[in-house]
Amino acid sequence: MARYFNDVASYQSALVSFYRTLKAHGSRGVVVKTSQGGYGGTPYVNQRGQAQVKAAKTVGLKVALYHYGTFNSTRYGTGDPATEAHLMANTAKAWGCGKDTIMVLDAEDPSLRTQVSADAALFYTALRRYGFHNFDIYFPASWYWAGRIKIGTSFKLGGWPASYGSASSGVSGAKSWQYTDDWQGLHVDGSLDYGGQYTGATKYAKKKPNPKLTKDNVDDYYYTYNPKRIIVKETIYQHKNNQLGSKASRGRKLVAGTAVDIARLHFSGDSVPVPYFELANGTYITANRYFVKNAYYELPNLKAIEVVKSTYLYRDLKRTKVVKRVHKPTNRWPKGTPFDVTKVIHVDGTWVLKLANGFYCTAYKKYVKKTK
């Protein structure tokens, strides 16, 4: 299943709260601009970039990097792409990004030569000399159609085309697609990841509740934000303190199906901060996805639902004006009623569904279930 990711530059925030908001809306990765131009010309480095990388990793988003290319070997010689690769490599290293980081060439500037792929090969070859080995290319879809860009190649480029206002990228074989410059109304580019390289589309653990955690995979196993309300999947215990592995701190048992409200999210550990939840009564429970699940639908890929417990529809987003059901004994919509969904909205710390009929309803899984 495709997952959402975003790309950011110096005009986006470096605050952790911004990346937590992206994640709450369904994003699972961020591509941060490192640089533009190269040595010998007019090198530019994103001064917010290092803080953006740190903030994105703090909330569990997978991080990739991109360089805005302005090289042209036909004008400035075959060493020109290499100078820009050198700048990107040095910036990535200075920011503490590993050699396995995805390094993306942003190929859209008018100064690039007509056959961009030839210069791109020189760029990637130089990055290899600096130890990097995961590459991709971002480009306007029209450049691919015109033959200026190639994907695949010996550098295994998945291809990240940009095409707005269309049903797809229009680039056969592309592994991702940037489709908007105002994702979820947050003034940031939005893309879909079909291949998993930008979002680390690892399935959540089902048989391994205690995996080997890293900063890059902790989100695949734990909630790294406060979902406000969860439903227990496997029996767990409330604990008197944050020593969740201690039997001595155990309190009330919570069986599968129990729903509880989350007051706060905390982290323990140093090298890899492990999330856990605090409840309103001052006790603590695990935030491990193996044991608990979000009680609300929150991802924007929800298209249709069915009522599983009779519920109201509302005329307003705040859900204060109930939709009247004329000539019906109740204003509740019965179990089994289907609705198409146009948007999943995060409001007042929870999630609300906007339906195709223009009304609103809860996203709480106790009352509705996803059908598409």
Side-chain angles (χ1 to χ4, degrees):
M1 181 179 70
R3 302 177 88 184
Y4 296 93
F5 68 100
N6 307 100
D7 56 276
V8 298
S10 61
Y11 39 82
Q12 265 89 34
S13 175
L15 297 176
V16 171
S17 58
F18 174 74
Y19 296 90
R20 187 170 288 122
T21 297
L22 292 182
K23 188 170 183 179
H25 282 75
S27 179
R28 291 296 176 263
V30 170
V31 190
V32 179
K33 181 176 182 177
T34 56
S35 44
Q36 183 171 329
Y39 299 116
T42 308
Y44 162 84
V45 173
N46 174 12
Q47 295 304 307
R48 283 187 173 182
Q50 186 170 15
Q52 290 172 327
V53 167
K54 183 178 179 180
K57 286 185 175 181
T58 295
V59 303
L61 294 173
K62 183 171 182 178
V63 172
L65 304 175
Y66 82 89
H67 171 87
Y68 187 92
T70 58
F71 46 71
N72 191 312
S73 64
T74 60
R75 296 178 186 173
Y76 310 114
T78 56
D80 191 36
T83 66
E84 299 204 9
H86 191 187
L87 176 61
M88 184 185 195
N90 281 353
T91 304
K93 291 176 182 177
W95 291 356
C97 297
K99 299 293 180 62
D100 59 345
T101 302
I102 300 169
M103 307 286 271
V104 182
L105 169 61
D106 181 344
E108 60 176 307
D109 194 85
S111 66
L112 298 175
R113 60 178 290 189
T114 302
Q115 295 301 319
V116 180
S117 291
D119 275 3
L122 298 174
F123 179 81
Y124 299 129
T125 298
L127 284 177
R128 275 181 175 170
R129 289 199 295 269
Y130 298 116
F132 295 92
H133 53 86
N134 286 334
F135 309 126
D136 203 3
I137 189 166
Y138 167 90
F139 54 91
S142 59
W143 284 28
Y144 175 84
W145 304 330
R148 297 186 66 180
I149 296 286
K150 294 179 182 179
I151 58 177
T153 77
S154 59
F155 298 99
K156 300 179 181 180
L157 308 177
W160 178 17
S163 180
Y164 298 172
S166 55
S168 70
S169 70
V171 177
S172 178
K175 296 297 190 296
S176 54
W177 167 35
Q178 185 186 92
Y179 64 93
T180 180
D181 59 0
D182 189 19
W183 187 74
Q184 297 291 316
L186 297 173
H187 309 296
V188 64
D189 295 338
S191 299
L192 283 167
D193 180 16
Y194 299 106
Q197 65 175 341
Y198 291 105
T199 58
T202 305
K203 291 183 178 179
Y204 297 142
K206 291 185 177 179
K207 296 184 179 180
K208 195 175 182 182
N210 297 303
K212 182 177 180 179
L213 295 176
T214 68
K215 290 181 179 179
D216 290 332
N217 75 3
V218 66
D219 177 58
D220 288 330
Y221 296 96
Y222 287 83
Y223 285 97
T224 53
Y225 64 96
N226 184 353
K228 300 299 181 181
R229 189 173 179 84
I230 58 91
I231 297 173
V232 176
K233 295 166 60 179
E234 302 281 341
T235 297
I236 61 173
Y237 289 88
Q238 294 180 10
H239 288 258
K240 301 171 185 176
N241 53 47
N242 63 357
Q243 302 303 309
L244 303 188
S246 170
K247 290 185 179 180
S249 71
R250 284 181 178 178
R252 177 191 171 199
K253 181 188 292 187
L254 301 177
V255 300
T258 304
V260 293
D261 292 320
I262 306 302
R264 298 175 187 83
L265 174 73
H266 299 281
F267 293 87
S268 64
D270 297 320
S271 58
V272 182
V274 179
Y276 62 95
F277 294 135
E278 179 183 350
L279 306 186
N281 63 4
T283 60
Y284 302 88
I285 63 170
T286 181
N288 193 313
R289 294 178 185 270
Y290 177 87
F291 294 105
V292 301
K293 65 180 179 180
N294 194 335
Y296 297 89
Y297 291 108
E298 57 171 320
L299 298 183
N301 59 355
L302 181 63
K303 302 300 181 185
I305 57 166
E306 181 180 298
V307 176
V308 293
K309 184 177 181 180
S310 61
T311 188
Y312 295 109
L313 298 189
Y314 299 88
R315 296 184 179 278
D316 61 318
L317 183 58
K318 296 290 185 178
R319 291 179 294 165
T320 61
K321 302 175 182 177
V322 174
V323 175
K324 306 294 184 182
R325 300 188 69 214
V326 181
H327 306 307
K328 299 292 182 180
T330 175
N331 289 324
R332 289 180 177 271
W333 296 78
K335 177 180 178 180
T337 306
F339 294 107
D340 289 329
V341 178
T342 60
K343 196 171 186 179
V344 180
I345 304 172
H346 185 249
V347 58
D348 294 337
T350 187
W351 286 265
V352 176
L353 304 181
K354 184 174 183 180
L355 307 178
N357 59 17
F359 300 138
Y360 300 87
C361 77
T362 181
Y364 189 20
K365 295 175 182 177
K366 182 177 179 181
Y367 290 92
V368 298
K369 70 175 182 180
K370 178 180 178 180
T371 58
K372 184 177 178 181

